[in-house]
Amino acid sequence: MDLGLKNKVIIVTGGYSGIGEAIVREAAKEGAIPVIVGRSGERGRALEGELKQQGFDCLSVAAELGEAGQCEQAIAQTLAKYHRINALVNNAGLNDGVGLESGSPQKFMDSIQNNIFHYYAMAHYALPALKQESDSSIINISSKTGVTGQGGTSAYVASKAGQLGLAREWAVELLPYKIRVNAIAPAEVMTPLYEKWLNTFENPAEKLHEITKRIPLGKRMTTSEEIAYMALFLISGKSAHTTGQIIYVDGGYTHLDRAIT
Ligand code: NAP
């Protein structure tokens, strides 16, 4: 299936690591132009350089997304180079363990700033450009924790649930412009973020085994590429009548009957 993404400018926040990196790499392979937005200019430039060496067009933009001005700047830099934005993938985030007992009101707000604030800010600043295109779209990468909870991560989970709500809310608000908005809820994907979380347990290998044996389809983690394929399908015109949806790419982990695991 040709997704028809050639020359589509796709902004991916958190685009040089984990799920975001996979979306960037797969977008490039589809002929799209990924814009890698992340806080480390060095890591962004490294991925940009690698992709360009392989013959792909792309751009990296350094931005601390917790600051509105830097979100605005990231959009401005994209437009200065390509003069259009076809899709925004809100993906950057950090499962930072700000819990009800372990955190504080200030830590909660800081985490909200780092996890959901920029989903809104990036969409807000990208909107005028998205309105100029036919069938443009926004993808919010959320998490199964937004519907199941996790324990000890109040701000992260509030953000993940909020991202699902925003996908529905924006799908409605942006209907007049035919901008589609969908969310993807991964569950267990081996990325630097996941590895860091796993390492907070006394025996990470045992914890990983405990988790994977409960993943119904294949008793394995989801790959970052499997999230990327879904994101690109949702961005593409092949899903032109899909909006306001939450897609669980998780091997059945969130919804299938526990009796089968
Ligand atoms: P990752 O490998 O750590 O990638 C996250 C990226 O976001 C990193 O590049 C990080 O930059 C960047 N980032 C975070 N906060 C930022 C900020 N304020 N400004 C700029 N960049 C920022 O994590 P991942 O696992 O791929 O996670 C990607 C998304 O998937 C997240 O929204 C996460 O909640 C979601 N998710 C992941 C899983 C999973 O199992 N991995 C499950 C459910 C949901 P630095 O590395 O420079 O800090």
Side-chain angles (χ1 to χ4, degrees), residues 14-20 38-40 43 63-66 91-94 114 118-119 141-144 156 160 186-194:
Y16 56 67
S17 174
I19 290 169
R39 57 160 68 96
S40 161
R43 290 174 69 191
E64 169 45 67
L65 295 165
N91 163 78
L94 179 64
N114 194 48
H118 54 81
Y119 275 49
I141 304 293
S142 173
S143 164
K144 79 132 177 75
Y156 178 75
K160 293 292 142 190
E188 314 292 331
V189 189
M190 190 51 77
T191 64
L193 173 67
Y194 195 95

Side-chain angles (χ1 to χ4, degrees), residues 24-47:
V24 163
R25 288 182 185 276
E26 296 305 322
K29 285 187 211 163
E30 289 296 320
I33 302 171
V35 178
I36 307 152
V37 180
R39 57 160 68 96
S40 161
E42 199 182 329
R43 290 174 69 191
R45 279 192 299 276
L47 181 55

Side-chain angles (χ1 to χ4, degrees), residues 115-253:
N115 276 303
I116 188 169
F117 164 82
H118 54 81
Y119 275 49
Y120 175 88
M122 289 296 287
H124 174 78
Y125 292 122
L127 188 54
L130 292 170
K131 280 164 66 176
Q132 300 297 316
E133 304 302 317
S134 59
D135 195 28
S136 54
S137 78
I138 300 174
I139 309 287
N140 282 352
I141 304 293
S142 173
S143 164
K144 79 132 177 75
T145 60
V147 292
T148 62
Q150 184 177 37
T153 53
S154 298
Y156 178 75
V157 166
S159 298
K160 293 292 142 190
Q163 291 157 10
L164 299 176
L166 287 178
R168 287 259 150 83
E169 166 68 5
W170 296 343
V172 174
E173 184 168 336
L174 302 182
L175 283 173
Y177 310 116
K178 295 198 169 66
I179 299 172
R180 298 178 300 106
V181 188
N182 293 290
I184 297 175
E188 314 292 331
V189 189
M190 190 51 77
T191 64
L193 173 67
Y194 195 95
E195 220 171 327
K196 203 169 157 197
W197 173 78
L198 209 53
N199 285 330
T200 62
F201 293 91
E202 205 169 301
N203 189 335
E206 198 177 289
K207 182 72 185 172
L208 181 60
H209 177 66
E210 234 177 70
I211 291 166
T212 50
K213 79 178 182 200
R214 290 195 174 87
I215 296 174
L217 191 61
K219 312 283 181 215
R220 66 165 178 85
M221 305 284 287
T222 306
T223 66
S224 292
E225 288 72 24
E226 286 166 331
I227 307 294
Y229 302 146
M230 180 56 74
L232 293 178
F233 175 69
L234 288 172
I235 288 169
S236 81
K238 300 294 181 197
S239 60
H241 214 209
T242 302
T243 194
Q245 299 306 304
I246 299 165
I247 316 283
Y248 293 82
V249 183
D250 66 353
Y253 193 62

Side-chain angles (χ1 to χ4, degrees), residues 256-261:
L256 296 189
D257 192 334
R258 288 284 169 252
I260 63 160
T261 57

